[in-house]
Amino acid sequence: KGGKPLLPYLYYRFGYECGRIQRALTDRGISWGTYQDPLGYHCNAHANNLVLLAENAASHNETFLAPLDLDMSFTEENFIFSHYVMDGKKIKKAAKKDDKKWSLYLKQEATGFLKTLAGDMGGSTGVTNTSPLPKSLLPLKVALRDVMVKAFWAAYNKEKASIPADPKLRKPSYALLRMALIMTSNNIA
């Protein structure tokens, strides 16, 4: 009675946490793994590279998510792609270092992450986004994704959360998340 609706709360919190994760990496000069090679563009910043933290995990009172799959991450210092260019499907050494590539790739990374949250399946081979949903729920799906996208940008731009973490909603949130995990346990991303 009189409680907050959980779905908009969770979508906002997930979007906000994703924005904070991406901003933290960017501010520390770390790319999650965005670059171009002969196979195309790669972007490790996507929804399937997050894990839901255990409800009783220590020291995460306000968060639900943590990043993973950081094996392809790098810093500007060890970013070799600014020294190379694509020549058709081959890589060749550039005549000079391209100092703009690093910032371009970081922008592409944030945008790529945001696109997967918004439902774009073309931005990542790691996100299939094919869970069946009745057509009648499509407006709700779009509205919740809009909430998540708005929250991502708020966090990425270092704005205060308009829907702050609420300790009273942790227990019901995890009950809903457990049910969602059980119901989707056979889905392969």
Side-chain angles (χ1 to χ4, degrees):
K1 178 181 170 183
K4 293 180 185 175
L6 279 179
L7 277 179
Y9 172 77
L10 283 170
Y11 271 74
Y12 185 89
R13 295 307 309 163
F14 287 167
Y16 198 79
E17 289 179 29
C18 290
R20 285 182 64 189
I21 289 166
Q22 188 61 54
R23 174 49 67 192
L25 290 169
T26 300
D27 284 354
R28 286 159 184 79
I30 300 169
S31 169
W32 204 333
T34 299
Y35 58 90
Q36 182 185 20
D37 70 11
L39 298 175
Y41 274 99
H42 302 275
C43 180
N44 247 12
H46 57 76
N48 280 15
N49 279 342
L50 299 163
V51 64
L52 180 64
L53 295 167
E55 183 176 4
N56 61 354
S59 302
H60 76 88
N61 296 336
E62 292 191 357
T63 59
F64 291 99
L65 305 174
L68 37 90
D69 200 9
L70 297 163
D71 61 323
M72 293 170 41
S73 61
F74 49 85
T75 64
E76 185 174 12
E77 189 175 280
N78 59 23
F79 176 61
I80 63 166
F81 297 100
S82 57
H83 298 279
Y84 296 89
V85 293
M86 292 300 300
D87 182 17
K89 287 285 185 185
K90 296 182 180 179
I91 298 175
K92 70 177 192 177
K93 190 157 176 65
K96 65 177 194 154
K97 181 183 176 192
D98 183 349
D99 292 321
K100 294 178 183 174
K101 260 189 191 177
W102 173 252
S103 61
L104 172 69
Y105 282 2
L106 286 183
K107 287 176 187 171
Q108 287 178 327
E109 185 166 280
T111 303
F113 195 178
L114 182 69
K115 286 169 66 174
T116 66
L117 296 177
D120 180 358
M121 294 183 292
S124 170
T125 56
V127 180
T128 58
N129 194 22
T130 56
S131 294
L133 188 71
K135 283 187 177 188
S136 62
L137 293 178
L138 183 60
L140 176 62
K141 176 181 171 179
V142 171
L144 290 171
R145 284 187 173 164
D146 285 351
V147 167
M148 194 161 37
V149 165
K150 182 179 180 348
F152 177 95
W153 276 127
Y156 189 76
N157 291 316
K158 300 180 180 179
E159 298 170 11
K160 186 177 177 182
S162 60
I163 300 176
D166 185 343
K168 293 176 189 168
L169 293 179
R170 281 199 77 73
K171 191 169 186 135
S173 292
Y174 270 99
L176 180 63
L177 292 168
R178 271 191 303 280
M179 183 176 69
L181 290 170
I182 290 166
M183 292 180 69
T184 59
S185 64
N186 290 328
N187 293 1
I188 298 174

